[in-house]
Amino acid sequence: MSKIERVEVFVASPGRTFVTLRITTTDGVTGLGDATLNGRELAVASYLRDHVAPLLIGRDPARIEDTWQYLYKGAYWRRGPVTMTAVAAVDTALWDIKGKTAGLPVYELLGGRSRDGVLVYSHASGTDVPSLLDDVERYLELGYKAVRAQAAVPDVGGTYGVRKGKLYEPAAGDLPDEQPWDTEAYLGFAPTYLEAVRERFGFGFHLLHDVHHRLTPIEAARFGKSVEACRLFWMEDPTPAENQEAFRLIRQHTTTPIAVGEVFNSIWDVQHLITEQLIDYVRTTVVHAGGITHLRRIFDLAALYHVRTGSHGATDLSPVSMAAAVHLDIAVPNFGIQEHMGHPDEAREVFRTGVTFADGMLHPSDQPGLGVEYDEKAAERFPYQRRYLPVARRLDGSVHDW
């Protein structure tokens, strides 16, 4: 019987930092998992190398559920982003191995296709309204049927969500960039540029917007009400979700759909939001919510309450995570949409993925497993670089919520 023989952790920065887990069995089959936690990558790498890898040697790679429970319950200290990202990496790698052993793509092991492709959205942004409109047009011409729109608030030095280079990558510098934030300026400006997008391009595509947790519940309710005519696909992260009852207040004031969950890492974090139907889309991810096994559990709960999926898919999720997400997306019955930002050219030198984009949708590889390869030699050309997400400060200098 095949056993886990080797567990390796790779940390590299091909355009941005990724932590990649590779598990090898005594039969020579390898599986990949993503263990990237933006800004805390080395914490997960250490957790895997120092605490998880020794536990895996000699275990049966086919016992995915048992291994998940062993790593989750056996540690005593449960949940949390570092632990769940490490568990996710192992789980994803074991699904990759199972698919290769069976000679089937992972989505076939999950029950097969529920749809022909996975609807995705990407990020349009601008330093002002004209540049935002030009960027929206660019994504529509690329074939996207859903676009997120963000623009820099006038006279505010930094606005999270606005792309600075070829790709949107907010993590920059070995210390966090401290950016000013003005809530009233945002509330006055954001509805105007979303209205401008609809006025220029109409309603023939899905329009999304990310609030980045920066409003109080009543401010979020005011914002949602003000953009109802724009018919947003969703407003994302309207308020910090630690106080989940706050979403009930937002619900009472607006019909704009709500998406939340990318910072959550377990079914217990979203249980109340889902069962009370306080959100419309759950954005938990393969990499931060315990892997394919646990994310499927979250999506199954969501399906019971008419909540759809909308998994996070920023550039800090490696091509391994994106492939795993697409395999799960194409199988679950309550799929909504998948975030898709692409990866820098350097990352494509390190990761070879069979995921393809066409007609506004992603399509999984039909190769056995996840259909992703990791080039260890190429990764050596991109040594680790510490990068952090920015920190927002109110005009009075105090730290603001994300």
PDB file of all heavy atoms in Angstrom, residues 167-178:
ATOM      1  N   LEU A 167      -0.595  44.333 -13.205  1.00  0.00           N
ATOM      2  CA  LEU A 167      -1.526  43.512 -12.444  1.00  0.00           C
ATOM      3  C   LEU A 167      -1.806  44.179 -11.107  1.00  0.00           C
ATOM      4  O   LEU A 167      -0.957  44.881 -10.558  1.00  0.00           O
ATOM      5  CB  LEU A 167      -0.958  42.108 -12.205  1.00  0.00           C
ATOM      6  CG  LEU A 167      -0.847  41.188 -13.410  1.00  0.00           C
ATOM      7  CD1 LEU A 167      -0.135  39.904 -13.014  1.00  0.00           C
ATOM      8  CD2 LEU A 167      -2.210  40.864 -13.996  1.00  0.00           C
ATOM      9  N   TYR A 168      -2.992  43.954 -10.579  1.00  0.00           N
ATOM     10  CA  TYR A 168      -3.347  44.500  -9.280  1.00  0.00           C
ATOM     11  C   TYR A 168      -2.685  43.669  -8.188  1.00  0.00           C
ATOM     12  O   TYR A 168      -2.994  42.500  -8.023  1.00  0.00           O
ATOM     13  CB  TYR A 168      -4.870  44.491  -9.122  1.00  0.00           C
ATOM     14  CG  TYR A 168      -5.337  44.829  -7.733  1.00  0.00           C
ATOM     15  CD1 TYR A 168      -4.939  46.014  -7.119  1.00  0.00           C
ATOM     16  CD2 TYR A 168      -6.177  43.969  -7.040  1.00  0.00           C
ATOM     17  CE1 TYR A 168      -5.371  46.323  -5.848  1.00  0.00           C
ATOM     18  CE2 TYR A 168      -6.608  44.279  -5.759  1.00  0.00           C
ATOM     19  CZ  TYR A 168      -6.196  45.452  -5.162  1.00  0.00           C
ATOM     20  OH  TYR A 168      -6.626  45.762  -3.902  1.00  0.00           O
ATOM     21  N   GLU A 169      -1.746  44.260  -7.466  1.00  0.00           N
ATOM     22  CA  GLU A 169      -1.067  43.572  -6.374  1.00  0.00           C
ATOM     23  C   GLU A 169      -0.866  44.559  -5.229  1.00  0.00           C
ATOM     24  O   GLU A 169       0.032  45.413  -5.275  1.00  0.00           O
ATOM     25  CB  GLU A 169       0.274  43.015  -6.838  1.00  0.00           C
ATOM     26  CG  GLU A 169       1.103  42.372  -5.735  1.00  0.00           C
ATOM     27  CD  GLU A 169       0.282  41.422  -4.883  1.00  0.00           C
ATOM     28  OE1 GLU A 169      -0.111  40.363  -5.408  1.00  0.00           O
ATOM     29  OE2 GLU A 169       0.016  41.741  -3.709  1.00  0.00           O
ATOM     30  N   PRO A 170      -1.716  44.487  -4.203  1.00  0.00           N
ATOM     31  CA  PRO A 170      -1.630  45.457  -3.112  1.00  0.00           C
ATOM     32  C   PRO A 170      -0.448  45.268  -2.177  1.00  0.00           C
ATOM     33  O   PRO A 170      -0.036  46.206  -1.507  1.00  0.00           O
ATOM     34  CB  PRO A 170      -2.949  45.244  -2.362  1.00  0.00           C
ATOM     35  CG  PRO A 170      -3.325  43.832  -2.659  1.00  0.00           C
ATOM     36  CD  PRO A 170      -2.853  43.572  -4.053  1.00  0.00           C
ATOM     37  N   ALA A 171       0.112  44.057  -2.084  1.00  0.00           N
ATOM     38  CA  ALA A 171       1.240  43.810  -1.190  1.00  0.00           C
ATOM     39  C   ALA A 171       2.513  44.374  -1.811  1.00  0.00           C
ATOM     40  O   ALA A 171       2.901  43.996  -2.917  1.00  0.00           O
ATOM     41  CB  ALA A 171       1.389  42.314  -0.930  1.00  0.00           C
ATOM     42  N   ALA A 172       3.164  45.287  -1.099  1.00  0.00           N
ATOM     43  CA  ALA A 172       4.364  45.925  -1.642  1.00  0.00           C
ATOM     44  C   ALA A 172       5.211  46.458  -0.498  1.00  0.00           C
ATOM     45  O   ALA A 172       4.692  47.011   0.469  1.00  0.00           O
ATOM     46  CB  ALA A 172       3.986  47.069  -2.584  1.00  0.00           C
ATOM     47  N   GLY A 173       6.532  46.302  -0.606  1.00  0.00           N
ATOM     48  CA  GLY A 173       7.434  46.824   0.396  1.00  0.00           C
ATOM     49  C   GLY A 173       7.599  45.892   1.583  1.00  0.00           C
ATOM     50  O   GLY A 173       6.726  45.095   1.903  1.00  0.00           O
ATOM     51  N   ASP A 174       8.774  46.006   2.245  1.00  0.00           N
ATOM     52  CA  ASP A 174       9.035  45.117   3.373  1.00  0.00           C
ATOM     53  C   ASP A 174       8.445  45.646   4.669  1.00  0.00           C
ATOM     54  O   ASP A 174       8.598  45.020   5.723  1.00  0.00           O
ATOM     55  CB  ASP A 174      10.532  44.848   3.519  1.00  0.00           C
ATOM     56  CG  ASP A 174      11.338  46.108   3.762  1.00  0.00           C
ATOM     57  OD1 ASP A 174      10.743  47.210   3.803  1.00  0.00           O
ATOM     58  OD2 ASP A 174      12.565  45.992   3.923  1.00  0.00           O
ATOM     59  N   LEU A 175       7.759  46.783   4.612  1.00  0.00           N
ATOM     60  CA  LEU A 175       6.935  47.286   5.698  1.00  0.00           C
ATOM     61  C   LEU A 175       5.615  47.757   5.099  1.00  0.00           C
ATOM     62  O   LEU A 175       5.573  48.203   3.940  1.00  0.00           O
ATOM     63  CB  LEU A 175       7.626  48.429   6.443  1.00  0.00           C
ATOM     64  CG  LEU A 175       8.833  48.052   7.313  1.00  0.00           C
ATOM     65  CD1 LEU A 175       9.492  49.312   7.873  1.00  0.00           C
ATOM     66  CD2 LEU A 175       8.429  47.118   8.445  1.00  0.00           C
ATOM     67  N   PRO A 176       4.516  47.700   5.837  1.00  0.00           N
ATOM     68  CA  PRO A 176       3.220  48.081   5.268  1.00  0.00           C
ATOM     69  C   PRO A 176       3.182  49.548   4.845  1.00  0.00           C
ATOM     70  O   PRO A 176       3.665  50.430   5.559  1.00  0.00           O
ATOM     71  CB  PRO A 176       2.237  47.821   6.422  1.00  0.00           C
ATOM     72  CG  PRO A 176       2.937  46.851   7.318  1.00  0.00           C
ATOM     73  CD  PRO A 176       4.390  47.172   7.214  1.00  0.00           C
ATOM     74  N   ASP A 177       2.607  49.787   3.689  1.00  0.00           N
ATOM     75  CA  ASP A 177       2.335  51.146   3.224  1.00  0.00           C
ATOM     76  C   ASP A 177       1.130  51.675   4.014  1.00  0.00           C
ATOM     77  O   ASP A 177       0.074  51.047   4.031  1.00  0.00           O
ATOM     78  CB  ASP A 177       2.021  51.118   1.728  1.00  0.00           C
ATOM     79  CG  ASP A 177       1.707  52.496   1.175  1.00  0.00           C
ATOM     80  OD1 ASP A 177       2.151  53.483   1.781  1.00  0.00           O
ATOM     81  OD2 ASP A 177       1.007  52.567   0.152  1.00  0.00           O
ATOM     82  N   GLU A 178       1.288  52.807   4.665  1.00  0.00           N
ATOM     83  CA  GLU A 178       0.204  53.378   5.458  1.00  0.00           C
ATOM     84  C   GLU A 178      -0.542  54.414   4.618  1.00  0.00           C
ATOM     85  O   GLU A 178       0.014  55.434   4.233  1.00  0.00           O
ATOM     86  CB  GLU A 178       0.748  53.985   6.755  1.00  0.00           C
ATOM     87  CG  GLU A 178       1.421  52.931   7.628  1.00  0.00           C
ATOM     88  CD  GLU A 178       1.761  53.430   9.020  1.00  0.00           C
ATOM     89  OE1 GLU A 178       1.228  54.495   9.423  1.00  0.00           O
ATOM     90  OE2 GLU A 178       2.550  52.761   9.712  1.00  0.00           O
TER      91      GLU A 178
END
